[in-house]
Amino acid sequence: MQNLSIRKFLNNKTIWLYIFSGGLLLCTGLLGLFLSSVTVPIATILHIISEKTLGMGWLQDIPKNEEMIIWNIRLPRVVLAFCVGASLALAGAAFQGLLRNPLADPYTIGVSSGSSLGAVLVLFFQVSIIGLGSFTLPVVAIVSGLTTLLVVFGLVQLSSRSLAIETIILAGIIVSSFIGALVSLIISLGDRDVMTQIIYWLYGSVGMRGWEYVQLIIPFMIIGSIILFYHYRELNALALGEETADHIGVNVKRGKAFILVGASLLTGSAVAVSGSIGFVGLVVPHLVRLIIGPNHRHVLPLSLITGGSFLILADLLSRTIIAPTELPIGVVTALIGAPVFAFLLIREKRGRRG
């Protein structure tokens, strides 16, 4: 009996995928901390992290500059890259499951553009809402992203009276284009310093952010993730169609509302701290779904882990590939994501024809 249980465990593909994705996250995280212009030994890195988090260390006389580099610069950058990548990938998985379309993600349906507009307005007018303080940027980005999503669905309802998937994506692209024009107008109206700040932010980056940005995204990431993880059954049911989901006892309207709110929380907070970073929410969930299948019980957590690992790796490439110059991370994700997604789409279409 015990041998049978061990054999079943070893033959379980899902377990091995979780182990692989966890190992990938660990490797990319260590590479992100280790590889840079100043090389710090891995033992020293682990000692610094252990001492700062657990109060336990085993090395003596660690140079102050190395401690500052790891704890104040590299570690928050790696953690922030994970949080942003995980949030975008998880939101993309939710939108793809909700709309039953692999082309759906926070960017194609307009949520990310709306969040960008809110963040740009905060940066341009230097707004600080009383009671929110430093949380003004993510809160405004989340609200504007959710508002944009409602505008997209409103346009769809006015044009076709039915939430056809193709119509939603088309409306999202139209709204995103309009918002892009508004952002360009705001940039052109600002002075040189404001213009530089907004353009640099729009390129997308997780560098030189510090722990305060990690503290900004963490609460929204946790709440959004819990909402989506809790409603994975609704996503599985919606994959069969809204009428079928309603017949098997799923409260479709309530489930869709919670999924949209959770995905918008993740998207808005990610855009607020890192700027516009594309293709993470498009490619990662699609790749995970091809490997693990359509069950959102596994698609959601694996998308979160893989998305975080992917963005850590993309950030590592952005700061090392043409060092000492640093590429915008959005450029790297697009250069990697676009060919991969094109390959996946071609492969899937050929598979269906075969």
Side-chain angles (χ1 to χ4, degrees):
M1 184 67 71
Q2 187 176 2
N3 290 335
L4 183 63
S5 299
I6 294 172
R7 194 178 300 117
K8 186 182 289 187
F9 174 83
L10 293 175
N11 291 332
N12 192 321
K13 185 179 77 170
T14 304
I15 292 174
W16 283 110
L17 281 172
Y18 276 104
I19 293 173
F20 174 78
S21 59
L24 179 65
L25 175 59
L26 180 63
C27 290
T28 53
L30 286 175
L31 282 173
L33 293 171
F34 178 71
L35 295 178
S36 192
S37 56
V38 178
T39 302
V40 180
I42 292 180
T44 304
I45 293 171
L46 296 176
H47 164 84
I48 292 169
I49 296 172
S50 176
E51 186 178 46
K52 291 288 186 179
T53 55
L54 304 174
M56 295 164 41
W58 56 88
L59 299 177
Q60 301 294 327
D61 300 326
I62 299 296
K64 284 293 182 183
N65 66 316
E66 291 186 356
E67 183 177 322
M68 186 186 71
I69 288 170
I70 296 301
W71 185 254
N72 294 332
I73 299 175
R74 290 189 198 170
L75 185 59
R77 181 168 187 157
V78 168
V79 173
L80 187 63
F82 168 78
C83 291
V84 171
S87 297
L88 292 175
L90 184 55
F95 282 128
Q96 288 175 11
L98 180 66
L99 301 176
R100 304 186 301 282
N101 191 306
L103 293 176
D105 87 318
Y107 287 81
T108 55
I109 63 175
V111 180
S112 181
S113 299
S115 297
S116 297
L117 177 61
V120 165
L121 288 172
V122 171
L123 292 172
F124 183 79
F125 293 108
Q126 298 295 307
V127 178
S128 180
I129 298 174
I130 297 173
L132 291 178
S134 60
F135 282 92
T136 298
L137 186 61
V139 168
V140 172
I142 289 165
V143 171
S144 59
L146 191 55
T147 303
T148 304
L149 188 62
L150 294 176
V151 170
V152 169
F153 277 89
L155 283 175
V156 174
Q157 290 280 15
L158 287 172
S159 63
S160 64
R161 299 288 180 183
S162 65
L163 295 178
I165 296 166
E166 294 79 6
T167 311
I168 291 172
I169 293 175
L170 181 61
I173 293 171
I174 292 170
V175 172
S176 296
S177 300
F178 178 72
I179 290 175
L182 288 179
V183 170
S184 298
L185 176 63
I186 292 169
I187 291 173
S188 64
L189 293 175
D191 58 31
R192 184 180 296 273
D193 292 338
V194 173
M195 182 175 66
T196 303
Q197 182 186 8
I198 292 175
I199 291 175
Y200 177 75
W201 179 85
L202 285 172
Y203 280 154
S205 176
V206 292
M208 303 306 292
R209 295 293 199 261
W211 287 112
E212 59 270 21
Y213 280 80
V214 177
Q215 293 169 356
L216 284 178
I217 191 176
I218 284 290
F220 301 103
M221 177 185 171
I222 291 173
I223 295 170
S225 299
I226 290 173
I227 290 173
L228 294 183
F229 289 155
Y230 184 76
H231 290 90
Y232 80 87
R233 292 182 183 86
E234 283 86 341
L235 282 169
N236 286 340
L238 286 167
L240 304 173
E242 291 187 16
E243 290 186 6
T244 305
D246 190 54
H247 286 316
I248 62 177
V250 173
N251 190 330
V252 174
K253 287 186 177 180
R254 180 177 174 273
K256 285 173 67 175
F258 274 106
I259 291 165
L260 290 173
V261 169
S264 297
L265 282 172
L266 292 168
T267 304
S269 58
V271 170
V273 299
S274 67
S276 297
I277 300 174
F279 283 96
V280 181
L282 192 66
V283 174
V284 172
H286 190 66
L287 183 61
V288 169
R289 197 174 279 107
L290 285 177
I291 297 172
I292 196 65
N295 189 349
H296 286 88
R297 182 180 181 181
H298 302 301
V299 169
L300 294 178
L302 284 171
S303 294
L304 183 148
I305 298 169
T306 309
S309 303
F310 172 71
L311 203 65
I312 292 173
L313 182 61
D315 178 57
L316 178 62
L317 290 173
S318 74
R319 57 189 167 93
T320 58
I321 197 167
I322 55 170
T325 304
E326 186 172 314
L327 282 174
I329 193 171
V331 173
V332 177
T333 57
L335 289 173
I336 297 173
V340 171
F341 189 65
F343 169 76
L344 292 173
L345 278 181
I346 293 170
R347 182 184 174 186
E348 188 177 22
K349 292 293 183 183
R350 286 182 175 176
R352 287 179 182 176
R353 289 172 187 171

